Amino acid sequence: KQEVTQIPAALSVPEGENLVLNCSFTDSAIYNLQWFRQDPGKGLTSLLLIQSSQREQTSGRLNASLDKSSGRSTLYIAASQPGDSATYLCAPETGANNLFFGTGTRLTVIP
Amino acid sequence: DTAVSQTPKYLVTQMGNDKSIKCEQNLGHDTMYWYKQDSKKFLKIMFSYNNKELIINETVPNRFSPKSPDKAHLNLHINSLELGDSAVYFCASSQENVWSSGELFFGEGSRLTVL
């Protein structure tokens, strides 16, 4: 059974800093991995989807990498802004429409 | 236009009641899901459904049943509600491709409180 761990559980940084969020998963036989953000009281918004054959994906200030063999993914956020404050979740997909979510990293960017 | 919409957003009810949460997506996706997020913010899939098959997470009690009147709707019915059913329920949809389920789009959630 897939287990997903995200470290740190919470992170507080001053505006403008670059930061890295970590995700590790136990079953490396994944089809893809998605990163989501969740704002308080809101649904999840997909940020990036990395196929299993890819090493990284970029969207604006976000860059996600995937090392499938070691069961790791990182989300890099450049030049953080207060609007980036949210909980970030990673979710590897192991097939049959089956995404497993970590419990997330709660990010606070201080103006 | 909201891509995935759920109603109601909040639902407070007594133990033992039966309730439904509705979900609609206007993205033309072929697969819809229900997820449960517990008090520790842990998200777990309950069901996925497309026009071919319903996949049920084996840990979901049979008091929970998805009903899909058409491709754009997947409603969640819950019978004999229990205190432990209190959670936020998220609907999602995606368009499958040959590699995977595709990018998921989530609704804003329905917070169920059972008293």
Side-chain angles (χ1 to χ4, degrees):
Chain A
K1 183 187 172 222
Q2 181 75 277
E3 292 183 8
V4 183
T5 305
Q6 291 189 243
I7 294 172
L11 181 63
S12 187
V13 300
E15 182 176 1
E17 270 205 9
N18 303 324
L19 57 103
V20 175
L21 309 180
N22 296 294
C23 170
S24 61
F25 46 94
T26 54
D27 183 355
S28 62
I30 64 170
Y31 290 126
N32 64 41
L33 184 142
Q34 294 187 52
W35 280 93
F36 296 86
R37 74 174 272 169
Q38 184 175 24
D39 294 281
K42 300 287 186 181
L44 283 73
T45 301
S46 180
L47 299 172
L48 290 162
L49 184 154
I50 313 176
Q51 300 289 355
S52 62
S53 57
Q54 297 175 317
R55 300 284 293 186
E56 64 180 289
Q57 277 283 0
T58 298
S59 175
R61 295 181 294 108
L62 304 179
N63 175 277
S65 68
L66 175 65
D67 184 345
K68 204 173 77 153
S69 60
S70 67
R72 294 179 192 277
S73 177
T74 62
L75 180 67
Y76 175 81
I77 303 177
S80 57
Q81 302 171 357
D84 295 332
S85 298
T87 296
Y88 291 80
L89 299 105
C90 74
E93 180 180 357
T94 53
N97 303 325
N98 214 358
L99 271 72
F100 287 86
F101 283 84
T103 50
T105 294
R106 190 172 67 253
L107 172 67
T108 304
V109 180
I110 304 164
Chain B
D1 279 346
T2 304
V4 181
S5 58
Q6 303 177 223
T7 55
K9 191 167 183 179
Y10 301 96
L11 184 55
V12 181
T13 189
Q14 299 287 333
M15 255 178 31
N17 284 350
D18 303 337
K19 290 293 177 186
S20 296
I21 306 172
K22 296 184 177 180
C23 178
E24 175 182 3
Q25 55 97 2
N26 62 7
L27 298 167
H29 287 166
D30 59 13
T31 305
M32 296 183 72
Y33 311 79
W34 278 104
Y35 283 84
K36 179 180 179 181
Q37 188 172 43
D38 62 25
S39 57
K40 295 180 181 176
K41 304 299 183 186
F42 185 60
L43 260 166
K44 196 168 181 182
I45 191 166
M46 300 177 72
F47 305 100
S48 66
Y49 183 79
N50 60 25
N51 57 7
K52 302 182 195 94
E53 64 180 329
L54 171 68
I55 300 174
I56 303 170
N57 184 319
E58 66 275 7
T59 66
V60 175
N62 57 15
R63 298 180 294 104
F64 290 78
S65 58
K67 289 191 172 32
S68 180
D70 56 56
K71 194 174 129 172
H73 297 84
L74 184 66
N75 303 325
L76 182 65
H77 295 267
I78 316 170
N79 295 326
S80 303
L81 278 157
E82 299 177 359
L83 293 176
D85 298 333
S86 295
V88 181
Y89 292 85
F90 286 98
C91 177
S93 72
S94 71
Q95 182 61 40
E96 283 190 7
N97 54 47
V98 295
W99 303 283
S100 71
S101 303
E103 185 181 357
L104 261 68
F105 291 77
F106 279 80
E108 294 210 331
S110 298
R111 181 177 293 277
L112 171 65
T113 303
V114 182
L115 303 175

